[in-house]
Protein backbone atom coordinates (compact mmCIF):
# COMPACT_ATOMS: atom_id res chain seq x y z
CA UNK A 1 0.00 0.00 0.00
CA UNK A 2 1.22 3.47 -0.94
CA UNK A 3 0.75 4.96 2.53
CA UNK A 4 2.85 2.22 4.11
CA UNK A 5 5.58 2.71 1.51
CA UNK A 6 5.62 6.46 2.10
CA UNK A 7 5.82 6.03 5.86
CA UNK A 8 8.66 3.53 5.49
CA UNK A 9 10.71 6.16 3.62
CA UNK A 10 9.79 9.10 5.86
CA UNK A 11 12.41 11.26 7.51
CA UNK A 12 10.93 13.40 10.31
CA UNK A 13 8.96 13.28 13.55
CA UNK A 14 5.50 13.73 12.02
CA UNK A 15 3.99 11.70 9.18
CA UNK A 16 1.47 13.52 6.98
CA UNK A 17 -0.60 11.41 4.60
CA UNK A 18 -2.19 13.26 1.68
CA UNK A 19 -4.19 11.64 -1.11
CA UNK A 20 -3.14 12.41 -4.67
CA UNK A 21 -6.45 14.20 -5.40
CA UNK A 22 -6.16 16.62 -2.46
CA UNK A 23 -4.39 20.00 -2.34
CA UNK A 24 -3.86 21.17 1.24
CA UNK A 25 -4.03 24.78 2.39
CA UNK A 26 -0.67 26.40 3.08
CA UNK A 27 -1.11 26.35 6.88
CA UNK A 28 -2.65 22.87 7.15
CA UNK A 29 0.53 20.98 8.09
CA UNK A 30 1.62 23.59 10.63
CA UNK A 31 -1.82 23.53 12.29
CA UNK A 32 -1.84 19.73 12.45
CA UNK A 33 1.65 19.62 13.96
CA UNK A 34 0.67 22.23 16.56
CA UNK A 35 -2.33 20.13 17.63
CA UNK A 36 -0.24 16.97 17.95
CA UNK A 37 2.43 18.71 19.99
CA UNK A 38 -0.11 20.40 22.28
CA UNK A 39 -1.63 17.15 23.58
CA UNK A 40 0.19 13.82 23.86
CA UNK A 41 -3.15 12.01 24.06
CA UNK A 42 -3.84 12.86 20.41
CA UNK A 43 -2.43 10.14 18.19
CA UNK A 44 -3.69 11.53 14.89
CA UNK A 45 -5.20 14.68 13.42
CA UNK A 46 -7.54 14.40 10.44
CA UNK A 47 -8.13 17.21 8.00
CA UNK A 48 -11.40 18.36 6.42
CA UNK A 49 -12.39 19.39 2.90
CA UNK A 50 -13.16 22.82 1.54
CA UNK A 51 -16.72 23.42 0.33
CA UNK A 52 -15.43 24.01 -3.21
CA UNK A 53 -13.94 21.15 -5.27
CA UNK A 54 -10.33 21.21 -6.42
CA UNK A 55 -11.50 20.77 -10.02
CA UNK A 56 -15.12 21.55 -10.92
CA UNK A 57 -16.15 18.71 -13.27
CA UNK A 58 -19.82 17.93 -12.68
CA UNK A 59 -22.87 18.56 -10.52
CA UNK A 60 -22.47 15.18 -8.80
CA UNK A 61 -18.98 16.26 -7.74
CA UNK A 62 -20.37 19.48 -6.31
CA UNK A 63 -22.93 17.43 -4.38
CA UNK A 64 -20.17 15.21 -3.03
CA UNK A 65 -18.02 18.19 -2.08
CA UNK A 66 -20.75 20.02 -0.14
CA UNK A 67 -21.89 16.85 1.61
CA UNK A 68 -18.35 15.90 2.70
CA UNK A 69 -17.61 19.46 3.80
CA UNK A 70 -20.73 19.56 5.96
CA UNK A 71 -20.29 16.07 7.39
CA UNK A 72 -16.63 16.54 8.31
CA UNK A 73 -17.19 20.00 9.81
CA UNK A 74 -20.14 18.64 11.81
CA UNK A 75 -17.85 16.08 13.44
CA UNK A 76 -15.01 18.48 14.27
CA UNK A 77 -13.24 17.54 17.47
CA UNK A 78 -12.62 14.06 18.82
CA UNK A 79 -13.84 11.36 16.43
CA UNK A 80 -13.91 7.56 16.39
CA UNK A 81 -12.44 7.01 12.94
CA UNK A 82 -9.70 8.38 10.69
CA UNK A 83 -10.00 10.28 7.41
CA UNK A 84 -6.91 9.23 5.51
CA UNK A 85 -7.10 11.78 2.69
CA UNK A 86 -5.47 14.26 5.09
CA UNK A 87 -3.98 12.58 8.14
CA UNK A 88 -1.10 13.63 10.41
CA UNK A 89 0.37 11.53 13.19
CA UNK A 90 3.65 11.18 15.10
CA UNK A 91 6.02 8.70 13.49
CA UNK A 92 6.39 6.90 16.81
CA UNK A 93 2.61 6.38 16.99
CA UNK A 94 2.54 4.93 13.49
CA UNK A 95 5.38 2.59 14.43
CA UNK A 96 3.49 1.51 17.55
CA UNK A 97 0.13 0.91 15.83
CA UNK A 98 1.64 -0.61 12.71
CA UNK A 99 0.90 -0.01 9.03
CA UNK A 100 -2.42 0.01 7.22
CA UNK A 101 -3.72 -3.45 6.39
CA UNK A 102 -2.85 -3.92 2.68
CA UNK A 103 -5.45 -6.69 2.32
CA UNK A 104 -8.34 -4.23 2.76
CA UNK A 105 -9.90 -2.06 0.09
CA UNK A 106 -12.32 0.81 0.81
CA UNK A 107 -12.25 0.18 4.59
CA UNK A 108 -8.61 0.31 5.63
CA UNK A 109 -9.31 3.61 7.40
CA UNK A 110 -12.00 2.06 9.60
CA UNK A 111 -9.73 -0.84 10.48
CA UNK A 112 -6.87 1.53 11.30
CA UNK A 113 -9.15 3.65 13.47
CA UNK A 114 -10.23 0.58 15.45
CA UNK A 115 -6.58 -0.14 16.26
CA UNK A 116 -5.52 3.46 16.83
CA UNK A 117 -8.43 4.49 19.07
CA UNK A 118 -7.65 1.76 21.57
CA UNK A 119 -4.61 3.76 22.65
CA UNK A 120 -4.98 7.36 21.43
CA UNK A 121 -7.49 10.06 20.65
CA UNK A 122 -8.16 11.06 17.04
CA UNK A 123 -9.24 14.62 16.31
CA UNK A 124 -10.70 16.24 13.20
CA UNK A 125 -10.05 19.93 12.58
CA UNK A 126 -11.33 22.50 10.10
CA UNK A 127 -7.98 24.27 10.57
CA UNK A 128 -6.38 21.39 8.68
CA UNK A 129 -8.11 21.74 5.35
CA UNK A 130 -7.62 20.98 1.69
CA UNK A 131 -9.50 20.99 -1.59
CA UNK A 132 -10.53 17.58 -2.89
CA UNK A 133 -11.09 16.49 -6.49
CA UNK A 134 -14.13 14.37 -5.67
CA UNK A 135 -15.65 11.61 -7.81
CA UNK A 136 -17.51 13.18 -10.72
CA UNK A 137 -19.85 10.46 -12.07
CA UNK A 138 -22.99 8.86 -10.65
CA UNK A 139 -21.66 5.37 -11.32
CA UNK A 140 -18.47 5.86 -9.30
CA UNK A 141 -20.20 7.64 -6.41
CA UNK A 142 -22.98 5.08 -5.99
CA UNK A 143 -20.65 2.10 -6.44
CA UNK A 144 -18.21 3.47 -3.87
CA UNK A 145 -20.97 4.22 -1.34
CA UNK A 146 -22.45 0.73 -1.76
CA UNK A 147 -19.20 -1.20 -1.35
CA UNK A 148 -17.82 0.95 1.47
CA UNK A 149 -21.02 0.42 3.46
CA UNK A 150 -21.14 -3.30 2.71
CA UNK A 151 -17.51 -3.88 3.64
CA UNK A 152 -17.84 -1.91 6.88
CA UNK A 153 -20.51 -4.24 8.30
CA UNK A 154 -18.12 -6.72 10.00
CA UNK A 155 -16.32 -3.74 11.53
CA UNK A 156 -19.56 -2.08 12.69
CA UNK A 157 -20.53 -5.34 14.39
CA UNK A 158 -17.32 -5.13 16.41
CA UNK A 159 -17.30 -1.35 16.90
CA UNK A 160 -20.79 0.11 16.82
CA UNK A 161 -19.54 3.60 17.71
CA UNK A 162 -17.97 4.17 14.29
CA UNK A 163 -19.58 7.25 12.68
CA UNK A 164 -20.98 7.60 9.20
CA UNK A 165 -23.84 6.43 7.03
CA UNK A 166 -25.94 3.59 8.36
CA UNK A 167 -24.01 3.49 11.65
CA UNK A 168 -25.43 6.68 13.18
CA UNK A 169 -28.99 7.31 14.33
CA UNK A 170 -30.45 10.05 12.08
CA UNK A 171 -28.44 8.91 9.06
CA UNK A 172 -29.47 5.32 9.61
CA UNK A 173 -33.09 6.42 9.66
CA UNK A 174 -32.66 8.54 6.52
CA UNK A 175 -31.02 5.67 4.65
CA UNK A 176 -33.54 3.01 5.65
CA UNK A 177 -36.52 5.28 4.94
CA UNK A 178 -35.14 6.17 1.49
CA UNK A 179 -34.73 2.52 0.49
CA UNK A 180 -38.14 1.55 1.86
CA UNK A 181 -39.72 4.47 -0.04
CA UNK A 182 -38.32 3.18 -3.32
CA UNK A 183 -39.35 -0.40 -2.54
CA UNK A 184 -42.88 0.78 -1.69
CA UNK A 185 -43.47 2.57 -5.00
CA UNK A 186 -44.94 -0.53 -6.76
CA UNK A 187 -47.70 -0.60 -4.12
CA UNK A 188 -49.23 2.37 -5.94
CA UNK A 189 -50.59 -0.19 -8.42
CA UNK A 190 -52.97 -1.35 -5.68
CA UNK A 191 -54.63 2.05 -5.53
CA UNK A 192 -53.85 5.79 -5.24
CA UNK A 193 -54.02 5.76 -1.45
CA UNK A 194 -50.95 3.52 -1.39
CA UNK A 195 -48.99 6.50 -2.71
CA UNK A 196 -49.10 7.88 0.83
CA UNK A 197 -46.72 5.18 2.07
CA UNK A 198 -43.70 5.90 -0.18
CA UNK A 199 -44.43 9.62 0.10
CA UNK A 200 -44.36 9.46 3.92
CA UNK A 201 -41.16 7.40 3.90
CA UNK A 202 -39.50 9.80 1.46
CA UNK A 203 -40.54 12.77 3.60
CA UNK A 204 -39.12 11.06 6.68
CA UNK A 205 -35.82 10.47 4.92
CA UNK A 206 -35.60 14.11 3.87
CA UNK A 207 -36.54 15.41 7.32
CA UNK A 208 -33.80 13.32 8.95
CA UNK A 209 -31.21 15.35 6.99
CA UNK A 210 -33.02 18.70 7.13
CA UNK A 211 -30.07 20.58 8.65
CA UNK A 212 -27.88 19.47 5.75
CA UNK A 213 -30.45 20.69 3.22
CA UNK A 214 -30.80 24.04 4.98
CA UNK A 215 -27.03 24.47 4.79
CA UNK A 216 -27.03 23.72 1.04
CA UNK A 217 -30.00 26.04 0.46
CA UNK A 218 -28.25 28.96 2.14
CA UNK A 219 -25.07 28.33 0.21
CA UNK A 220 -26.30 27.42 -3.27
CA UNK A 221 -29.96 28.40 -3.58
CA UNK A 222 -33.18 26.51 -4.31
CA UNK A 223 -32.28 25.09 -7.74
CA UNK A 224 -29.14 23.28 -6.70
CA UNK A 225 -30.74 22.25 -3.39
CA UNK A 226 -33.48 20.39 -5.31
CA UNK A 227 -30.79 18.51 -7.24
CA UNK A 228 -28.85 17.89 -4.02
CA UNK A 229 -31.95 16.43 -2.32
CA UNK A 230 -32.52 14.02 -5.20
CA UNK A 231 -28.91 12.81 -5.24
CA UNK A 232 -28.71 12.50 -1.48
CA UNK A 233 -31.99 10.58 -1.34
CA UNK A 234 -30.60 8.04 -3.84
CA UNK A 235 -27.26 7.89 -2.00
CA UNK A 236 -29.11 7.19 1.25
CA UNK A 237 -31.04 4.37 -0.43
CA UNK A 238 -27.78 2.87 -1.73
CA UNK A 239 -26.26 3.10 1.76
CA UNK A 240 -29.16 1.08 3.16
CA UNK A 241 -28.88 -1.39 0.28
CA UNK A 242 -25.16 -1.80 0.92
CA UNK A 243 -25.79 -2.32 4.62
CA UNK A 244 -28.42 -4.95 3.87
CA UNK A 245 -26.08 -6.76 1.48
CA UNK A 246 -23.32 -6.61 4.09
CA UNK A 247 -25.54 -8.04 6.82
CA UNK A 248 -26.61 -10.93 4.58
CA UNK A 249 -23.00 -11.59 3.62
CA UNK A 250 -21.99 -11.48 7.29
CA UNK A 251 -24.67 -14.04 8.15
CA UNK A 252 -23.72 -16.57 5.47
CA UNK A 253 -19.96 -16.09 5.09
CA UNK A 254 -17.48 -16.92 7.83
CA UNK A 255 -14.73 -15.47 5.67
CA UNK A 256 -16.59 -12.15 5.49
CA UNK A 257 -17.07 -12.15 9.28
CA UNK A 258 -13.29 -12.57 9.63
CA UNK A 259 -12.52 -9.75 7.18
CA UNK A 260 -10.87 -7.67 9.91
CA UNK A 261 -9.04 -10.51 11.61
CA UNK A 262 -5.36 -9.81 11.28
CA UNK A 263 -4.46 -13.36 10.21
CA UNK A 264 -0.80 -13.30 9.37
CA UNK A 265 0.64 -10.30 11.18
CA UNK A 266 1.17 -7.15 9.18
CA UNK A 267 4.82 -6.27 9.72
CA UNK A 268 5.15 -2.83 11.23
CA UNK A 269 7.52 -0.37 9.62
CA UNK A 270 9.69 1.77 11.84
CA UNK A 271 9.51 5.25 10.31
CA UNK A 272 11.55 8.11 11.64
CA UNK A 273 9.86 10.99 9.90
CA UNK A 274 7.34 12.71 7.68
CA UNK A 275 5.79 11.55 4.44
CA UNK A 276 3.35 13.49 2.31
Amino acid sequence: MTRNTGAAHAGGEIIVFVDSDVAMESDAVANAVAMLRADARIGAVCGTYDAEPLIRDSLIEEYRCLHQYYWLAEHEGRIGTVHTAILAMPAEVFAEIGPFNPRLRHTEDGDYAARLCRHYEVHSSTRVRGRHDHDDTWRVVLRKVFHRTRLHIPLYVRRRDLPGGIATGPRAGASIAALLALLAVPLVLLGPLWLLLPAALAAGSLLADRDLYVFVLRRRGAGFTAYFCLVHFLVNAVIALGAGAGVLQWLVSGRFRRLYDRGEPVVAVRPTGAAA
Side-chain angles (χ1 to χ4, degrees), residues 70 74 206-218:
Y70 179 88
E74 183 184 31
L206 294 173
L207 285 172
D209 280 321
R210 59 188 177 277
D211 291 340
L212 169 62
Y213 298 132
V214 169
F215 161 76
V216 176
L217 178 64
R218 290 173 177 171

Side-chain angles (χ1 to χ4, degrees), residues 211-234:
D211 291 340
L212 169 62
Y213 298 132
V214 169
F215 161 76
V216 176
L217 178 64
R218 290 173 177 171
R219 192 173 185 98
R220 295 294 302 271
F224 184 82
T225 301
Y227 172 81
F228 187 100
C229 289
L230 171 63
V231 176
H232 195 59
F233 179 82
L234 293 175

Side-chain angles (χ1 to χ4, degrees), residues 39 52 74 116 126 137-138 147 172 255 260:
D39 191 342
E52 300 296 327
E74 183 184 31
L116 179 62
T126 56
T137 67
W138 282 77
H147 287 298
R255 182 178 181 182
Y260 295 93

Side-chain angles (χ1 to χ4, degrees), residues 56-67:
R56 193 179 301 276
D57 293 320
S58 66
L59 287 177
I60 191 72
E61 181 176 22
E62 293 186 41
Y63 153 78
R64 191 76 165 157
C65 191
L66 280 172
H67 174 250

